[in-house]
Amino acid sequence: MSSAHQDTFARDHLPPADQQPEFLFDLPELQFPEQLNCAAELLDRHVREGRGGRMCIRAPGINWTYADLQDKANRIANVLVHDMGLVPGNRVLLRAPNNPMLAACWFGIIKAGGIAVATMPLLRAKELKAIIDIGQVSHALCDAALSEEMELAVAEKPVLKHIRHFNHDGPDGLEALMRRASPEFDTVATASDDTCILGFTSGTTGIPKATMHYHRDVMAICLCWPRHVLHPSEDDVFMGSPPLAFTFGLGGLLLFPLHVGASTVLLEKASPPQLLEAIQTFGATVLFTAPTSYRTLSARGTELRRTALRKCVSAGEALPASTRAAWKEATGIEMIDGIGSTEMLHIFISHDEAHARPGATGTPVPGYQAKIVDEQGQDVPPGTIGRLAVRGPTGCRYLNDERQRKYVQNGWNLTGDAYLMDVDGYFHYQARTDDMIISSGYNIAAPDVEDALMQHPAVAECAVIGVPDHERGQLVKAFVVLRPGQAAGDDMKKTLQDFVKASIAPYKYPRALDFVESLPRTQTGKLQRFKLHEPA
Ligand code: 3UK
């Protein structure tokens, strides 16, 4: 046993071996040693190899080199071990908006052999308590600006014994302890299969699930999608909106830039106008955000064309062909779409700029395999809609959760998405399996209708669901947010219905259509279609 974990909670709660997916390590770069700490690879290596003076993390008013980040992370690791009693394997909750101290804390935990449990900044005490329970979290590092809900949670959860606040100048704050701590720390020699992250699913419904990821999983995602699809260089400047608590953000805004020795800009607030300003100020070259954010930003093409931006990555939700086209038209940049999940840790189907196909997510990322299966788990021929199944170097391991049997079947990960593969091997997203609408015997994918509606210039955003209907089984219903200055009403409704009928198969048009002010979304930007089923 090469595990460095003295606290064996994670290992004790892994899904049984026969419920885990099959893992593939065919690529030569995916041969991992028995001892591996991802922080040694992503951070220490650069300093050791003489790149300590290179720019690493930036934020308004902050510029840290690789050596600066290592200094902070080492001090935090020492505080965790010597002042807070951390032993390898303990879970440490992180709570902060995207900022440099959050990144330093993440590396401090990983270096000390702890397990990072990053949480969404907007979570309230109730949700934090559920996470503390599920992960049996003993330690927490929290941004002072977000202490209120944290304190409420801690007061009711005695298992969480050790908490410190940062971005806070008091004598009891993390920074005060860091000043007294040594800047030297020997990164703990964890096993490549020691858990280092608990990733909570953004879950549109139900009780949250914790996914478990190893040190080798972190390295695997750095070695697959970025190297084979994104092709970043050490001179790139990464930026984006997803929180580091969302693995899309953790990879795109922290792990991937550091892996190649590039720099990253962490923004506490990253709405479209704030992103635009930061792209200009910091000279961002690689952008990670969600389709809706690209859609809004595409109105600022003139300004964007004058920036250094060169690569734009969309994930989290299906990228409508109309949004891809609008972005290309506005900025001249072909977007890179990719589907990932918290369970798989990061993106597993994607494409580079040269292989973009409107309406398709792409092909399996090297290192991964994907296929389409029917309800019984049998492979279906190209062109048939079915369930997406994937496997690769990363995969689903829920912490002590029966839902493991649902996500992993016959060694494959079932993401819950309906897809079809075309004859060229490109995967085309249809809907979440629950969002396929069956109306008068026709299968209708909600995103298909949404994309058609969004082609209309009056439409800012929209969402489509199936509502029960006694004649047709289900009826296609659209919720439309109009652009400023557009008038809602029966005329507009008729216009939009006719517009859809003229652009896709007429049976898909929304027979019901409501105008709304905004659409319900999760903190990761995903549309919550289930909320539209509830009476207003
Ligand atoms: C949906 C997409 C179509 C799909 C994520 C990149 O979104 C991420 O993780 P989550 O666990 O959700 C996973 C589900 O989201 N989805 C994500 N990307 C796409 N659907 N096209 C896409 N490009 O339903 C998937 O099953 O929140 C994304 C990297 C890391 C991630 N965790």
Side-chain angles (χ1 to χ4, degrees):
M1 276 296 278
S2 56
S3 173
H5 284 184
Q6 292 167 37
D7 174 345
T8 59
F9 173 84
R11 204 164 283 267
D12 296 342
H13 291 91
L14 281 168
D18 64 342
Q19 287 179 33
Q20 292 201 27
E22 194 177 316
F23 293 98
L24 308 177
F25 301 102
D26 305 334
L27 297 182
E29 57 266 40
L30 299 179
Q31 311 308 309
F32 298 109
E34 206 175 307
Q35 302 304 152
L36 177 71
N37 185 313
C38 63
E41 297 298 311
L42 296 171
L43 181 52
D44 298 339
R45 179 175 52 97
H46 294 295
V47 179
R48 196 176 59 238
E49 293 175 359
R51 289 183 293 275
R54 284 186 58 86
M55 189 49 60
C56 181
I57 295 192
R58 301 186 66 192
I62 298 176
N63 297 295
W64 288 354
T65 61
Y66 277 85
D68 292 334
L69 178 63
Q70 189 191 45
D71 174 285
K72 312 266 179 205
N74 283 352
R75 289 173 190 271
I76 293 167
N78 279 314
V79 169
L80 283 165
V81 173
H82 301 300
D83 298 306
M84 298 174 70
L86 180 104
V87 302
N90 285 166
R91 278 74 56 212
V92 186
L93 189 145
L94 281 171
R95 175 168 167 82
N98 285 2
N99 59 39
M101 271 301 283
L102 174 60
C105 288
W106 192 88
F107 276 107
I109 295 166
I110 303 292
K111 287 183 138 239
I115 299 176
V117 186
T119 59
M120 295 291 184
L122 290 177
L123 295 188
R124 308 296 295 263
K126 181 169 182 284
E127 296 146 311
L128 292 170
K129 284 191 288 184
I131 289 172
I132 295 165
D133 274 337
I134 295 169
Q136 287 295 290
V137 175
S138 52
H139 294 70
L141 297 174
C142 177
D143 192 313
L146 297 178
S147 64
E148 213 169 298
E149 294 289 323
M150 190 71 226
E151 295 296 346
L152 291 173
V154 171
E156 287 182 44
K157 291 292 162 196
V159 58
L160 206 170
K161 292 194 190 66
H162 311 277
I163 174 166
R164 293 289 185 283
H165 292 95
F166 55 90
N167 289 331
H168 163 59
D169 257 343
D172 53 344
L174 180 60
E175 282 88 346
L177 294 171
M178 285 166 70
R179 278 191 290 274
R180 293 200 289 272
S182 163
E184 308 293 333
F185 185 85
D186 286 333
T187 298
V188 173
T190 44
S192 61
D193 63 355
D194 276 335
T195 294
C196 65
I197 297 176
L198 291 188
F200 278 81
T201 54
S202 57
T204 42
T205 45
I207 308 158
K209 293 168 280 202
T211 63
M212 310 171 76
H213 300 288
Y214 300 162
H215 286 271
R216 71 157 200 243
D217 301 329
V218 170
M219 295 320 300
I221 61 166
C222 293
L223 292 161
C224 289
W225 179 80
R227 159 181 300 215
H228 295 282
V229 179
L230 183 68
H231 306 297
S233 90
E234 60 170 17
D235 295 320
D236 273 314
V237 179
F238 287 61
M239 180 181 289
S241 64
L244 298 186
F246 181 23
T247 65
F248 177 41
L250 181 71
L253 303 177
L254 190 61
L255 309 176
F256 302 161
L258 268 64
H259 187 239
V260 298
S263 68
T264 183
V265 183
L266 296 177
L267 303 170
E268 296 201 343
K269 297 205 167 90
S271 65
Q274 292 161 327
L275 271 180
L276 175 63
E277 195 193 317
I279 292 166
Q280 295 166 328
T281 314
F282 292 94
T285 58
V286 182
L287 179 64
F288 287 79
T289 187
T292 45
S293 176
Y294 283 110
R295 197 170 157 78
T296 308
L297 276 172
S298 63
R300 311 295 292 271
T302 326
E303 289 120 298
L304 284 163
R305 277 178 186 267
R306 292 195 209 108
T307 68
L309 199 58
R310 69 182 192 105
K311 285 180 179 284
C312 298
V313 181
S314 170
E317 268 198 311
L319 173 65
S322 55
T323 304
R324 174 186 290 286
W327 190 253
K328 180 89 188 268
E329 160 101 27
T331 65
I333 300 170
E334 189 72 75
M335 270 163 55
I336 299 173
D337 187 8
I339 178 173
S341 73
T342 308
E343 289 81 356
M344 299 301 293
L345 194 53
H346 219 270
I347 294 174
F348 48 85
I349 293 177
S350 185
H351 60 82
D352 61 15
E353 291 90 339
H355 296 86
R357 278 202 183 183
T361 316
T363 55
V365 169
Y368 289 85
Q369 298 173 348
K371 63 177 186 174
I372 308 297
V373 298
D374 64 16
E375 281 307 314
Q376 284 70 48
Q378 300 295 315
D379 297 12
V380 299
T384 314
I385 296 175
R387 301 189 294 165
L388 178 65
V390 294
R391 58 184 188 185
T394 59
C396 177
R397 300 179 202 100
Y398 288 135
L399 188 154
N400 192 25
D401 199 305
E402 270 309 310
R403 289 170 284 186
Q404 179 75 16
R405 291 174 190 279
K406 204 171 163 231
Y407 204 96
V408 177
Q409 292 173 21
N410 305 318
W412 290 79
N413 299 275
L414 294 169
T415 62
D417 297 295
Y419 257 85
L420 73 75
M421 188 185 78
D422 67 22
V423 288
D424 300 326
Y426 279 75
F427 286 77
H428 299 247
Y429 177 81
Q430 306 297 310
R432 289 290 299 171
T433 10
D434 316 333
D435 292 329
M436 284 300 292
I437 303 165
I438 304 175
S439 187
S440 306
Y442 289 111
N443 277 318
I444 301 169
D448 219 20
V449 187
E450 289 162 7
D451 191 31
L453 271 167
M454 280 196 289
Q455 312 268 359
H456 194 281
V459 177
E461 276 196 290
C462 67
V464 167
I465 61 170
V467 293
D469 179 73
H470 94 174
E471 200 182 320
R472 297 191 161 76
Q474 279 184 304
L475 193 76
V476 179
K477 176 168 183 180
F479 294 83
V480 173
V481 181
L482 291 174
R483 286 197 189 276
Q486 299 290 338
D490 284 346
D491 289 350
M492 180 61 84
K493 178 172 163 179
K494 175 93 173 33
T495 304
L496 294 177
Q497 287 172 323
D498 290 344
F499 183 78
V500 173
K501 270 192 228 172
S503 77
I504 54 176
Y507 64 80
K508 296 182 182 174
Y509 91 91
R511 288 174 192 272
L513 193 155
D514 282 1
F515 294 103
V516 290
E517 291 296 318
S518 64
L519 297 173
R521 290 190 180 274
T522 64
Q523 288 158 41
T524 55
K526 275 190 228 306
L527 193 58
Q528 293 171 300
R529 289 198 183 75
F530 75 94
K531 286 208 170 155
L532 297 169
H533 288 282
E534 295 159 4

